[in-house]
Amino acid sequence: MLKHYSPQGKHILVTAAGSDCAKLLCNWAIKFAALSVTVICRSDNHVQYYNKHTIKHIKQDDKQTIEYFARQADIVFDAVGGELAETILAHMPESSEFVSYGLLSGTFFNLKNDYQKFIGFIFVTI
C-alpha cells in the first residue's frame, strides 16, 4: 500500500490502530518520512505503544477530534469502514486520498459521488 500511496512528506491517518497491520503501517510511514502519523483506536490498550513511537492517538468515539485530523490528512488508511469511514470522508480535503483495505465494522460505508475522486481500494487475496 505504501508503494502506491507514498507517505513521504504527508500527514497520515490510520484507523483500527490496535491491529498489527496498523502498527506496521505507522512504523513504515514514519520510516518513509511521513510528516505526521495519527491513529484512531477503540480503546486505550495501545496508547503506550503509540506514545513510545511518538504517534498521535485518538479515541474512536471522539468524533470532533477525528474530524479535525481528517481535515489535516493527506492519506487515510482505513480498515474499519462504516460510520467512521463516512465521518472521515466527509471532512477530508479534496486533495487527500482514502485507502480502504478492510471492513472491520462489518458495515459498508456510503460512497457519495463527491467522495469517489479520492478513494482507493486495496484487495488482498490469501
Side-chain angles (χ1 to χ4, degrees), residues 19 31 44 49-50 52 54-55 58 60 67 72 74-75 82-84 91 108 110-111 118:
S19 72
K31 179 182 176 183
D44 290 331
Y49 175 85
Y50 287 113
K52 177 181 168 186
T54 64
I55 296 170
I58 309 167
Q60 189 167 318
E67 291 170 359
Q72 312 304 314
D74 295 305
I75 303 175
E83 186 179 329
L84 179 59
H91 293 88
F108 291 105
N110 186 9
L111 192 57
F118 56 102

Side-chain angles (χ1 to χ4, degrees), residues 64-119:
Q64 187 174 13
T65 304
I66 291 169
E67 291 170 359
Y68 171 81
F69 280 99
R71 285 190 290 273
Q72 312 304 314
D74 295 305
I75 303 175
V76 175
F77 292 103
D78 175 56
V80 177
E83 186 179 329
L84 179 59
E86 290 176 358
T87 298
I88 293 168
L89 283 163
H91 293 88
M92 289 174 60
E94 286 187 28
S95 60
S96 299
E97 297 176 293
F98 184 90
V99 181
S100 176
Y101 70 96
L103 202 58
L104 292 172
S105 69
T107 307
F108 291 105
F109 53 94
N110 186 9
L111 192 57
K112 297 179 182 175
N113 286 339
D114 54 338
Y115 296 164
Q116 293 181 17
K117 61 185 167 281
F118 56 102
I119 300 279

Side-chain angles (χ1 to χ4, degrees), residues 20-37:
D20 289 337
C21 185
K23 289 175 183 175
L24 286 171
L25 264 172
C26 291
N27 288 330
W28 290 337
I30 290 168
K31 179 182 176 183
F32 293 127
L35 290 178
S36 70
V37 178

Side-chain angles (χ1 to χ4, degrees), residues 31-55:
K31 179 182 176 183
F32 293 127
L35 290 178
S36 70
V37 178
T38 304
V39 297
I40 301 173
C41 309
R42 282 189 310 185
S43 71
D44 290 331
N45 293 347
H46 305 280
V47 169
Q48 285 183 334
Y49 175 85
Y50 287 113
N51 284 341
K52 177 181 168 186
H53 295 282
T54 64
I55 296 170

